[in-house]
Amino acid sequence: SGLHKLKILNLANNSICGSISGTQSHAKLGRQIETTAAGTSEFYNLRALTHVNLSNNNLSGEVDVLFAPALESVDFRNNKFTSVASFESSKSSHKTLHTIFLSNNS
């Protein structure tokens, strides 16, 4: 993809519906995010992605906060997430992620 150098993804306040996960269901952002054979989302190919803001949308289901390898900060506030996927120490973002905002979800 042409976004391999993307560092910050801010999709806050966009009325995005659906679910997002690194290993199971996926958000609908104009098309389905497909799961790779390794069981990770297409976001995992965004090696430079460090900050993600998906707050104030209508995302639901389980969320995997370690869905990209270099994540430092994720903001998933004010959605409808019901659970957080187990932290897997095999994912490289397990060591880089330092801030997670998950308040005001289902």
Side-chain angles (χ1 to χ4, degrees):
S1 109
L3 300 175
H4 64 279
K5 293 183 180 180
L6 182 69
K7 290 187 176 196
I8 298 171
L9 178 63
N10 186 345
L11 294 172
N13 303 304
N14 277 291
S15 300
I16 300 170
C17 297
S19 58
I20 182 169
S21 174
T23 56
Q24 296 169 0
S25 55
H26 311 287
K28 295 178 181 175
L29 304 173
R31 67 182 180 94
Q32 285 285 53
I33 297 171
E34 299 172 3
T35 300
T36 66
T40 57
S41 73
E42 287 181 358
F43 283 113
Y44 208 77
N45 293 324
L46 300 176
R47 301 283 180 200
L49 188 62
T50 58
H51 297 80
V52 175
N53 185 345
L54 293 172
S55 64
N56 301 303
N57 283 291
N58 291 306
L59 296 167
S60 60
E62 182 176 75
V63 63
D64 181 356
V65 295
L66 302 177
F67 64 89
L71 282 178
E72 295 175 11
S73 171
V74 295
D75 188 344
F76 296 143
R77 290 180 282 197
N78 301 309
N79 279 287
K80 297 177 182 175
F81 291 118
T82 55
S83 62
V84 177
S86 298
F87 281 67
E88 297 178 28
S89 60
S90 61
K91 293 183 178 181
S92 57
S93 53
H94 179 263
K95 295 178 182 173
T96 60
L97 187 64
H98 58 78
T99 306
I100 304 170
F101 295 106
L102 287 168
S103 63
N104 297 316
N105 278 282
S106 294

